[in-house]
Amino acid sequence: MFFISFEGCEGTGKTTQIDFLKEKLEKKSFDVLSIQEPGTTKLGLKIRKLLKGDLEGAEKISEITELFMFSAARSDLISNKLSNFIKSKKIVICDRYVDSTTAYQGYGRQLDLNKIKLINSLATQNIMPDITFLLDFNPKIGIQRLGSYQMEFSLNDSSNQRETEGVRFETESNEFLNRVRNGYLELAKNEPDRWKIIDANLDKTEISKIIWETVETKLKNIH
Ligand code: TYD
């Protein structure tokens, strides 16, 4: 398995780039699996729905519970899907992975980073991406790009809102998103061999070119 993950704040164009990359790899006859976190497995999809606010009258989701929910979805993904592909030649492209938990729950929500590290290692069974692309820009731009479109599934800082709406992020919560962004940059700085930071303000064709060149080089080195 060759494992690629995409990270970044909302509105950075991850999905477009994942689609481009998948198409390009398939044209070159690679066996590609594109997945999303949380989601992908049946349990993961159920957790996604719950996080989106489909709580059926349950009490509010605390920050720690939220951490466990994202981690439970990930653990299910690893146990029921990814662990089966380790020895295969599949290329797995993941829209968000464990770094999202460190960035959002760790840096964003300011939960203890050491504890998050431990939970992440349990949930992933230490299966980590070969490359992680960080599509980076000022989160304010992402919010503007998304415009008035109500992000269905986004985090915020205000816990009173979460009581009625599940884990819903308030798009204007700039401070929160700035912490997330800086968290990502910190993670990338600490592990430069795995991360490739890309300026998400660049033209999308330019971005896809950088992504392709990086993937091609890494693939050449392992084959
Ligand atoms: P999603 O609808 O997948 O949107 P996006 O296109 O931004 O990826 O939303 C997932 C949201 O959940 C996103 O705001 C980031 C957040 N998230 C976490 O807080 N922790 C996590 O571990 C993951 C995977 C996502």
Side-chain angles (χ1 to χ4, degrees):
M1 176 171 87
F2 186 76
F3 186 10
I4 305 168
S5 65
F6 280 76
E7 297 285 352
C9 290
E10 291 79 0
T12 48
K14 280 185 285 100
T15 314
T16 311
Q17 292 304 329
I18 288 171
D19 291 347
F20 276 158
L21 179 62
K22 182 170 188 274
E23 202 183 312
K24 186 115 189 176
L25 285 164
E26 279 173 345
K27 268 199 193 135
K28 307 237 168 214
S29 304
F30 285 103
D31 178 10
V32 186
L33 173 71
S34 157
I35 56 179
Q36 180 192 32
E37 268 235 68
T40 305
T41 62
K42 288 195 179 97
L43 180 63
L45 278 171
K46 286 196 176 194
I47 292 175
R48 185 181 180 86
K49 270 196 180 158
L50 288 171
L51 284 163
K52 274 174 104 169
D54 186 4
L55 289 169
E56 293 164 7
E59 295 79 3
K60 78 166 183 180
I61 299 176
S62 76
E63 294 182 350
I64 306 277
T65 308
E66 176 192 291
L67 165 68
F68 281 117
M69 287 173 83
F70 280 116
S71 304
R74 182 165 308 122
S75 169
D76 192 55
L77 173 73
I78 296 291
S79 309
N80 287 315
K81 277 229 170 220
L82 293 197
S83 60
N84 301 322
F85 303 142
I86 300 287
K87 293 210 166 95
S88 77
K89 290 208 170 221
K90 235 181 231 311
I91 298 190
V92 175
I93 308 176
C94 200
D95 187 349
R96 298 193 179 280
Y97 189 57
V98 69
D99 300 300
S100 279
T101 296
T102 312
Y104 282 80
Q105 279 65 53
Y107 288 89
R109 296 259 192 252
Q110 299 178 300
L111 298 179
D112 185 323
L113 287 173
N114 283 323
K115 288 182 183 145
I116 290 199
K117 218 177 189 170
L118 181 65
I119 292 167
N120 283 347
S121 121
L122 279 172
T124 58
Q125 298 175 31
N126 296 319
I127 295 175
M128 289 300 284
D130 297 285
I131 312 175
T132 299
F133 290 106
L134 173 59
L135 296 183
D136 172 65
F137 64 19
N138 184 339
K140 222 177 180 172
I141 302 173
I143 293 165
Q144 282 160 4
R145 265 199 202 178
L146 292 170
S148 57
Y149 161 67
Q150 171 70 47
M151 283 194 296
E152 278 191 315
F153 186 31
S154 26
L155 292 167
N156 75 32
D157 262 341
S158 82
S159 44
N160 53 354
Q161 229 190 340
R162 282 159 55 226
E163 195 156 357
T164 48
E165 299 184 0
V167 182
R168 205 166 252 251
F169 309 73
E170 196 174 55
T171 52
E172 315 84 72
S173 181
N174 224 28
E175 234 170 73
F176 176 83
L177 289 174
N178 275 330
R179 286 202 299 272
V180 172
R181 180 199 193 185
N182 290 331
Y184 273 132
L185 291 172
E186 181 90 15
L187 285 171
K189 200 175 82 188
N190 293 340
E191 240 185 304
D193 289 346
R194 173 164 70 92
W195 289 79
K196 173 86 187 164
I197 305 173
I198 300 176
D199 179 356
N201 291 301
L202 292 171
D203 177 77
K204 60 181 180 216
T205 318
E206 183 64 23
I207 295 177
S208 65
K209 214 171 129 213
I210 298 171
I211 291 173
W212 178 247
E213 282 165 6
T214 312
V215 170
E216 206 179 23
T217 310
K218 281 254 185 181
L219 283 174
K220 268 187 199 143
N221 290 342
I222 58 158
H223 283 115

